[in-house]
């Protein structure tokens, strides 16, 4: 249920920010272009960003639920999967939370800042985007998320759910490749595909886990 809720929440906030903030294309803009548009979203927009930042928390109960459903067939793999789900959740929260917090304060200060101060604000804005956004939130967060998917997919294969297992491996592989979009534009098309595949897989994976938890396929424990 956490995965399904995360998918619905992701699609809702993504659609809002795409319509009101030109997200995610706006991420390539400079502080002078982006910060005034951010503050123009008002309190409602800030609340949406805060919700967006907290949505990855749902990956933690999702990881625990996946472990509960698949621990009988791959206990060691699913223990590692839980760790990756937590790392992914924390990384994504750190990356996204900069928008309703630090970036919001930068946006409030930008209109009245002197030219010299704006240079400093520009540097802080760009640095936070690279460090918290690209490296932590996107790269580390997405690598961990897709490692979680692939470990769970291996467990599904060992449980005899071949279609679900191979689908999870495929989604995980797409996500791993897409995570390198900031390193090379060559994977841009893969990243575009991942934006559509990810929420669909979150829902599908959630349904698969619900069904697996109910049936609780019993098999020899294989790491």
């Amino acid at each position: 249920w956490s995965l399904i809720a995360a998918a619905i929440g992701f699609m809702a906030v993504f659609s809002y920010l795409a319509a009101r903030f030109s997200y995610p294309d706006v991420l390539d803009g400079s502080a002078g272009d982006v910060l005034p548009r951010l503050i123009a979203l008002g309190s409602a927009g800030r609340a949406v960003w805060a919700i967006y930042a907290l949505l990855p928390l749902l990956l933690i109960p999702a990881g625990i639920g996946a472990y509960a459903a698949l621990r009988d067939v791959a206990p060691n793999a699913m223990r590692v999967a839980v760790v990756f789900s937590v790392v992914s959740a924390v990384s994504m929260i750190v990356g996204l939370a900069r928008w309703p917090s630090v970036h919001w304060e930068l946006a409030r200060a930008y209109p009245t800042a002197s030219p010299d101060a704006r240079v400093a604000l520009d540097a802080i804005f760009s640095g936070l985007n690279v460090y918290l956004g690209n490296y932590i939130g996107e790269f580390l967060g997405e690598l961990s998320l897709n490692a979680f998917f692939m470990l769970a997919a291996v467990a599904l294969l060992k449980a005899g759910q071949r279609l679900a297992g191979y689908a999870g491996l495929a989604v995980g592989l797409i996500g791993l490749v897409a995570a390198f979009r900031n390193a090379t534009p060559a994977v841009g098309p893969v990243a575009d595909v991942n934006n559509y595949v990810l929420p669909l897989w979150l829902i599908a994976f959630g349904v698969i886990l619900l069904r697996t938890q109910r049936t609780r396929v019993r098999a020899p424990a294989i790491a």
Side-chain angles (χ1 to χ4, degrees):
W1 285 113
S2 296
L3 290 167
I4 295 170
I8 295 172
F10 170 79
M11 290 186 289
V13 298
F14 193 94
S15 298
Y16 175 89
L17 292 173
R20 298 287 303 277
F21 195 52
S22 299
Y23 184 80
D25 294 336
V26 73
L27 300 180
D28 296 326
S30 65
D33 295 329
V34 177
L35 293 179
R37 298 183 62 184
L38 176 64
I39 203 71
L41 290 175
S43 298
R46 189 180 189 183
V48 170
W49 269 115
I51 293 171
Y52 195 9
L54 294 176
L55 280 177
L57 279 175
L58 291 169
L59 293 173
I60 297 176
I64 296 171
Y67 172 77
L70 299 169
R71 62 189 175 188
D72 296 324
V73 292
N76 291 339
M78 290 312 300
R79 289 189 190 100
V80 179
V82 172
V83 174
F84 275 120
S85 72
V86 173
V87 172
S88 177
V90 174
S91 300
M92 291 183 176
I93 289 170
V94 169
L96 291 169
R98 74 189 191 278
W99 286 99
S101 58
V102 182
H103 278 359
W104 192 267
E105 294 304 316
L106 295 178
R108 291 178 61 184
Y110 201 86
T112 57
S114 66
D116 289 341
R118 288 190 176 187
V119 172
L121 293 176
D122 290 342
I124 295 172
F125 177 77
S126 298
L128 290 174
N129 283 343
V130 173
Y131 177 57
L132 296 181
N134 295 346
Y135 278 89
I136 304 298
E138 295 179 4
F139 189 67
L140 178 58
E142 292 179 21
L143 284 182
S144 301
L145 176 64
N146 289 287
F148 164 56
F149 287 158
M150 297 186 81
L151 287 166
V154 170
L156 288 170
L157 288 173
K158 291 180 177 180
Q161 301 192 46
R162 295 172 62 85
L163 180 59
Y166 285 124
L169 287 175
V171 171
L173 181 60
I174 291 172
L176 288 176
V177 174
F180 288 88
R181 62 187 176 276
N182 293 312
T184 171
V187 302
V190 179
D192 292 337
V193 171
N194 187 60
N195 287 336
Y196 294 99
V197 170
L198 176 58
L200 294 177
W201 175 244
L202 289 174
I203 295 173
F205 189 27
V207 172
I208 290 166
L209 289 177
L210 287 171
R211 295 180 61 184
T212 302
Q213 181 65 15
R214 287 171 183 168
T215 58
R216 290 304 299 273
V217 178
R218 296 289 176 177
I222 302 174

